[in-house]
Amino acid sequence: MTNKLNLKNLTKSEEDYLKALFQLLIEDDSGKVGNNQLADYLKVSPASTNNMIKKLKAKKYVVSEKYGKLELTEEGKSIAVRLIRKHRLWETFLCNYLNFSWDEVHEVAEQLEHIKSQKLVNELDRFMDFPSKDPHGEVIPNADGEYFVLPKITLSSLEEGAVCQLVSVNDASVTFLKYVSEIGLALSSEIKVLEVREFDSSIRIQFNQVEETVTRKFADNVFVKVI
Amino acid sequence: MTNKLNLKNLTKSEEDYLKALFQLLIEDDSGKVGNNQLADYLKVSPASTNNMIKKLKAKKYVVSEKYGKLELTEEGKSIAVRLIRKHRLWETFLCNYLNFSWDEVHEVAEQLEHIKSQKLVNELDRFMDFPSKDPHGEVIPNADGEYFVLPKITLSSLEEGAVCQLVSVNDASVTFLKYVSEIGLALSSEIKVLEVREFDSSIRIQFNQVEETVTRKFADNVFVKVI
DNA sequence: TTAATTTGTTAGTCATAACTAACTTTTTTA
DNA sequence: TAAAAAAGTTAGTTATGACTAACAAATTAA
Ligand SMILES: [Mn+2]
Ligand SMILES: [Mn+2]
Ligand SMILES: [Mn+2]
Ligand SMILES: [Mn+2]
């Protein structure tokens, strides 16, 4: 089955479900994703996801047994990766050429990723000279759907004294991204973990000669590389 | 009512119907557009247009009496013009930056025009340094929805001996646009009408030291300025 | 190991937007 | 001006993708 056939005839909803399932499957390293989990993630009812999963199973994009966990077929994964590629290329374009800030791009990219034109995405890629990462630090899959999945180490998982570099951030919350920028953090920032407070799991960090206290919830959304 | 409120909450279908009605109202200089005409144009059944027109009347974008002709309110026109602006800006971007040919852009722009982001369209406009015309020679409305409607004089309406300049072409047919390019015609080409044949209304024209015979149907889709 | 809780499924409803078939009104033509 | 044709409307159907409420299965806790 060719790539061209892959991206055909899917509705916006079908695409969003496949992408969501793919994201959950790589996030949850347990490798198990259930119906209600998917419903939570997409902010729809479990009945809605159950119904859509049936359609996607009939179309051979999803495999699962009744009451069992959800899996993607190779074709399902392929569609999801191409959507992620489009999403991240558009975010990059909006940031680098159209004066969007990193907190403004996700919502618009959620729409743009559903535009059906192989040529559009590949030409956009070429126009930007094949960028490797999006504005949030995420790797952009290439035209063949190949890409490195960076191991996601959260800032919150580090011990006191650890020194790391900011690799990527969760892109879905506008307020979180604005907050990151405001305190002066950016991709590649070098961060030292000064103290992890037992009482509320808040973390005292240092970066660019600045000290800040951030919550556990904040640190959960910051991904780092230990150095 | 502000512009921001204007573009909100409309479905892709509602937008397409408003744009189609607007286009028909300026094309048909009689100023009268009926339900079946709209259905023809959108390639849906008269029942479908009738149903949608009811919704658009309820939302105050369309005005008409039962069995009467269709009209747009100021708000309806405003939405249509903004869609046309987006459509033409995207076509221009695809042609000038992403290596699309003028016969490839319309279909993709039909999708892109429905992306909801005021900032996106205005930044795209700025990025291209506020282009005034799209790849087919059509005027692009500015951010306030202002633009000149060029009088549409078809090549087919000219008399023998007339000399004119190609101003714009109908953008909806891929095969037509390819044909125009192939014979060597382009925007601004100077065309002389050598002969109008009574038998089948075919026209012998001259441009760039070339002579060609074109059909009435061809000449109906070529818009010119007499010089 | 039984009971409670969580997870997943089914049935039935609603909104959107398409369709066909049948009907009504308006316009045209004979 | 009466009949025919065209234009417009209505009713009823289908598909998609949401929802709630009720129910069943699987998991967890007592
Ligand atoms: Mn994103
Ligand atoms: Mn999306
Ligand atoms: Mn166009
Ligand atoms: Mn469109």
Side-chain angles (χ1 to χ4, degrees), chain B residues 113-174:
Chain B
E113 72 191 3
H114 301 291
I115 302 292
K116 281 163 182 64
S117 167
Q118 200 72 54
K119 179 162 187 167
L120 176 58
V121 54
N122 290 334
E123 285 292 331
L124 192 69
D125 197 11
R126 182 202 51 73
F127 176 74
M128 298 189 289
D129 202 20
F130 309 102
S132 61
K133 295 198 177 173
D134 82 5
H136 312 103
E138 303 284 359
V139 175
I140 301 174
N142 73 13
D144 295 322
E146 298 156 351
Y147 74 116
F148 294 104
V149 181
L150 298 177
K152 294 249 170 176
I153 302 163
T154 65
L155 176 59
S156 56
S157 70
L158 300 192
E159 309 271 294
E160 274 180 20
V163 180
C164 63
Q165 202 172 23
L166 203 168
V167 169
S168 67
V169 287
N170 192 322
D171 71 341
S173 164
V174 172

Side-chain angles (χ1 to χ4, degrees), chain B residues 50 61 73 135 174 176 182 197 200:
Chain B
N50 193 274
Y61 299 132
T73 62
V174 172
F176 166 70
E182 263 165 35
R197 299 204 187 85
D200 57 3

Side-chain angles (χ1 to χ4, degrees), chain B residues 51-75:
Chain B
N51 190 55
M52 180 60 89
I53 288 297
K54 271 186 192 162
K55 285 182 218 166
L56 295 174
K57 283 170 75 171
K59 292 191 177 185
K60 310 278 191 209
Y61 299 132
V62 171
V63 179
S64 79
E65 282 164 44
K66 215 175 179 181
Y67 292 99
K69 295 299 168 185
L70 307 172
E71 284 175 89
L72 282 167
T73 62
E74 283 309 309
E75 206 170 336

Side-chain angles (χ1 to χ4, degrees), chain A residues 87 91 106 171:
Chain A
H87 182 102
E91 287 191 343
H106 182 76
D171 71 340

Side-chain angles (χ1 to χ4, degrees), chain A residues 2-16:
Chain A
T2 76
N3 289 337
K4 272 177 193 172
L5 285 171
N6 271 349
L7 282 183
K8 230 189 20 186
N9 279 342
L10 287 178
T11 64
K12 184 185 176 301
S13 286
E14 288 171 328
E15 289 187 341
D16 280 336

Side-chain angles (χ1 to χ4, degrees), chain A residues 2-208:
Chain A
T2 76
N3 289 337
K4 272 177 193 172
L5 285 171
N6 271 349
L7 282 183
K8 230 189 20 186
N9 279 342
L10 287 178
T11 64
K12 184 185 176 301
S13 286
E14 288 171 328
E15 289 187 341
D16 280 336
Y17 275 90
L18 288 176
K19 188 168 69 110
L21 183 49
F22 183 86
Q23 309 262 37
L24 285 175
L25 283 167
I26 34 177
E27 276 176 34
D28 283 52
D29 33 37
S30 67
K32 290 181 178 179
V33 173
N35 182 73
N36 290 12
Q37 201 183 341
L38 183 58
D40 259 26
Y41 185 84
L42 285 168
K43 297 187 175 69
V44 296
S45 70
S48 296
T49 47
N50 194 274
N51 189 54
M52 180 60 88
I53 288 296
K54 271 185 191 164
K55 284 182 217 165
L56 295 174
K57 284 170 74 171
K59 292 191 176 184
K60 310 278 191 206
Y61 299 132
V62 170
V63 178
S64 80
E65 283 165 43
K66 214 175 180 183
Y67 293 99
K69 295 299 166 185
L70 307 172
E71 283 175 272
L72 281 167
T73 63
E74 283 309 311
E75 206 169 337
K77 280 182 214 163
S78 162
I79 290 166
V81 170
R82 280 166 167 69
L83 284 165
I84 288 168
R85 168 173 160 79
K86 282 200 272 183
H87 182 102
R88 293 181 182 170
L89 281 171
W90 278 115
E91 287 191 343
T92 306
F93 177 70
L94 296 178
C95 253
N96 296 353
Y97 296 88
L98 300 191
N99 295 327
F100 277 65
S101 53
W102 74 349
D103 53 275
E104 293 174 315
V105 297
H106 182 76
E107 187 206 329
V108 183
E110 275 300 316
Q111 300 177 58
L112 286 163
E113 72 192 3
H114 301 290
I115 302 293
K116 279 159 183 69
S117 167
Q118 201 72 53
K119 178 163 187 164
L120 176 57
V121 53
N122 290 334
E123 286 292 332
L124 193 67
D125 197 12
R126 182 202 52 73
F127 176 74
M128 298 189 289
D129 202 20
F130 309 103
S132 61
K133 296 198 177 174
D134 82 4
H136 312 104
E138 303 283 358
V139 176
I140 301 173
N142 73 13
D144 294 323
E146 298 155 351
Y147 74 117
F148 294 104
V149 180
L150 298 177
K152 294 249 170 175
I153 302 165
T154 64
L155 177 58
S156 55
S157 70
L158 300 193
E159 310 272 294
E160 274 180 17
V163 180
C164 63
Q165 204 173 21
L166 204 166
V167 169
S168 67
V169 288
N170 191 322
D171 71 340
S173 163
V174 172
T175 51
F176 166 69
L177 290 171
K178 278 187 172 156
Y179 179 16
V180 174
S181 310
E182 263 165 34
I183 64 175
L185 269 178
L187 296 184
S188 301
S189 288
E190 213 175 287
I191 304 170
K192 183 170 182 182
V193 179
L194 300 177
E195 191 187 348
V196 180
R197 298 204 188 83
E198 211 189 312
F199 170 63
D200 57 3
S201 298
S202 71
I203 305 170
R204 186 121 193 105
I205 57 174
Q206 187 192 48
F207 55 93
N208 307 337

